[in-house]
Every structure is written in C-alpha cells, then in structure tokens.
Amino acid sequence: MASNRRVTISTNVHGHTAGWAEVTTPPVPPDSRTAAFFDIDNTMMRGASIYWFARGLAARSYVTTGDLARFAWQQARFRLLATEHAGDMSRARQAALAFVEGWRVNDVERLAEEIFDELMAPRIWAGTRRLAQRHLDAGQRVWLVSAAPVEIGRVIAARLGLTGAIGTVAEIVDGAYTGRLVGDLMHGPAKAEAVTRLAAVEGLDLARCTAYSDSRNDLPMLVAVGRAVAINPDGALLRTARRRGWEVRDFRTGRRAARIAVPSTAALGLLAGAVSAGLALHRRRRTA
C-alpha cells in the first residue's frame, strides 16, 4: 500500500523559502472486511474488453476486420432488441468453449498483456479508476467482476494495481485450454453468486462492500452489497438507481445516443465464435 506523503515548506522571518522536507505518514491499515467490486465493460473502460482483445488479434492477423464488422453489427442488433434469452446464452456458452480450445494459457496471457497496453489502457475511464484508487487508499481490496475470460480480467487488474479479477473460467489441462468451462459464464446472477462466495472465503462483510456497474444485467451483484453505484448507466439501471437512491456517476461525453454500447452476453458469444474461427484458420496456416 502506498504511503500518504505531505510536503512541508519552511520559511524564515522575511518570508523567503528556507528549505523543504517530505513527511511520510504511515500507510492506511488494510480493511479486511470491506471490498469494492467493479464491472469492466463500460464501467472501468470504454467499450467491451473482449472486443478490444479481438481488435488486437485482428491486428496480428488472428481474425479479420470482416469478423469485427460482423460482431459490431450483431452487438448493435442485440442491444436494440434486448435479446438475452436462454438460447442466446447457450450459443454464447458454446462459442466461449470454441474460443479457447487448444490454446496455451501463457500465449493468451501474453497476448492479453500486449493488447491491454496497446488498446485497452487508453480507454480506462479516469473517473472510475480514481474511484477504485479511493478504495485502495482506504485499505480496501478492489476486484474486477466481468463476463470476459478471467485471464483478460486478471491482466487488467494487474496493470491497474487492483487486488484481482473474477471472470469466466475455462478448464485447463497441462497448460492448455480443453474447450470446457469451469462453471458458467460470469454474467447476471453468476456475478452475485461469485461475489458472495468470495466474501465467505475472504471474510468480507457484504453490507460494508460497494459494487459498480453500468448495466441492468448486474442488478443481482448491485443489490448483494451494502452500497451500489451506477457508472455510465444504461436506461434501465438509471431508472433503478433513481428509484433506490443509488449514487450515479457518468463519465461519458457527447450525446447519450452515441455512447459506446455494452454487448449482450449473446453478442459476446458471437464475437467469441468469430475469434475462434480466426484462431483455427491461423493455426492451420501456421502448420501448413
């Protein structure tokens, strides 16, 4: 934990500066019972982390710009139609399985680190980052909670100096992904369940914890803690926040209709399928 620093400037009787000394105060002791939970997409960063990851893969010829264009169209369509039905969830799950099958864990982590530095870091909301830092400065732990693969969340958390990340987990055998998920997609009620389990393991008092999100899909997580904050909220979450008296922070600029959309889980699954096809093609080219 970084210490708090205060600079003291001393002056003589004529008002001239005589010198300065840096006074270091003790670090804030850890608050072991309190934590903050941040959604990633459009809460901690502009846009969807999996989309920017795919953009980075496209720049490396793992997927095509056509794959990205198709995903962008599907993202807009699913947001407009608010389609998050069971069949969409099933397709998203299947696509997520295909996305990681056969890949080495260290390759995905290396790519995630490179792509974060290139494309994601400039899109971190400065306002949300400051909120996270306030919790850290208060001695609290800060976790990212996202439907994105946990490897991506872990990289973002490490780069931002946060405690860790909760995300969708893929099964790993001998350092490679099997194509099977451990549990389900980290979405909706699954986020609340994961936060509750983490609280039990870490000895957290959820009534003293805070959760941040932009989406109505995260309402289960938001109501599971003592303090909920809507960040760049969609319309449904904004209405709920106003009705419940939750704090609202909006770091977006420009017309609301032009704001970056958070892809639905189904749209994320479609992107994962496009990425999976690109990765398979890339592997065939490398082995040809």
Side-chain angles (χ1 to χ4, degrees):
M1 181 70 62
S3 61
N4 297 319
R5 294 181 298 174
R6 183 175 71 254
V7 175
T8 301
I9 301 175
S10 59
T11 60
N12 59 25
V13 293
H14 299 292
H16 299 297
T17 300
W20 62 271
E22 184 176 71
V23 179
T24 302
T25 60
V28 177
D31 184 352
S32 62
R33 299 277 287 163
T34 309
F37 303 97
F38 285 80
D39 173 51
I40 295 179
D41 297 343
N42 276 344
T43 302
M44 182 59 72
M45 67 178 294
R46 294 189 294 274
S49 55
I50 190 68
Y51 173 76
W52 295 115
F53 183 66
R55 280 282 297 269
L57 293 179
R60 291 161 174 79
S61 299
Y62 286 98
V63 295
T64 68
T65 53
D67 294 329
L68 293 176
R70 281 189 292 275
F71 167 65
W73 180 85
Q74 291 287 1
Q75 174 178 322
R77 174 179 175 270
F78 276 103
R79 188 172 180 85
L80 178 64
L81 299 178
T83 305
E84 292 244 2
H85 301 147
D88 298 325
M89 292 289 289
S90 176
R91 285 195 294 272
R93 180 183 173 88
Q94 293 170 5
L97 298 176
F99 176 19
V100 296
E101 185 175 3
W103 266 65
R104 305 294 301 177
V105 176
N106 55 2
D107 287 338
V108 172
E109 291 178 341
R110 173 183 54 81
L111 286 167
E113 289 174 351
E114 293 177 4
I115 293 169
F116 174 84
D117 293 339
E118 294 171 8
L119 298 176
M120 298 183 194
R123 293 173 171 85
I124 296 295
W125 292 109
T128 308
R129 180 67 187 87
R130 284 193 296 271
L131 292 173
Q133 189 60 48
R134 289 180 187 175
H135 288 282
L136 294 173
D137 291 344
Q140 301 172 15
R141 284 166 283 183
V142 177
W143 293 83
L144 298 177
V145 187
S146 175
V150 69
E151 288 78 11
I152 294 177
R154 207 156 44 211
V155 166
I156 297 173
R159 287 294 200 262
L160 298 180
L162 309 182
T163 306
I166 301 171
T168 299
V169 178
E171 184 182 63
I172 299 170
V173 174
D174 297 328
Y177 297 106
T178 66
R180 294 184 293 272
L181 290 184
V182 178
D184 218 330
L185 290 168
M186 191 57 59
H187 173 78
K191 285 189 177 184
E193 294 168 6
V195 165
T196 301
R197 288 196 300 269
L198 179 66
V201 171
E202 297 291 325
L204 299 172
D205 180 359
L206 284 180
R208 295 174 55 193
C209 294
T210 307
Y212 299 82
S213 178
D214 73 297
S215 174
R216 64 174 180 174
N217 295 322
D218 287 339
L219 281 174
M221 179 178 72
L222 293 170
V223 299
V225 299
R227 177 172 173 255
V229 181
I231 302 289
N232 308 324
D234 61 27
L237 179 58
L238 180 60
R239 289 190 294 272
T240 299
R242 287 172 173 169
R243 186 172 66 251
R244 290 176 173 263
W246 291 346
E247 182 180 354
V248 176
R249 299 288 190 102
D250 201 324
F251 304 119
R252 297 167 297 194
T253 58
R255 294 174 60 236
R256 292 182 63 84
R259 69 180 182 266
I260 302 170
V262 179
S264 67
T265 302
L268 286 174
L270 288 172
L271 173 61
V275 171
S276 173
L279 296 180
L281 178 60
H282 184 79
R283 286 195 294 268
R284 287 198 297 271
R285 287 173 176 170
R286 289 177 61 183
T287 56

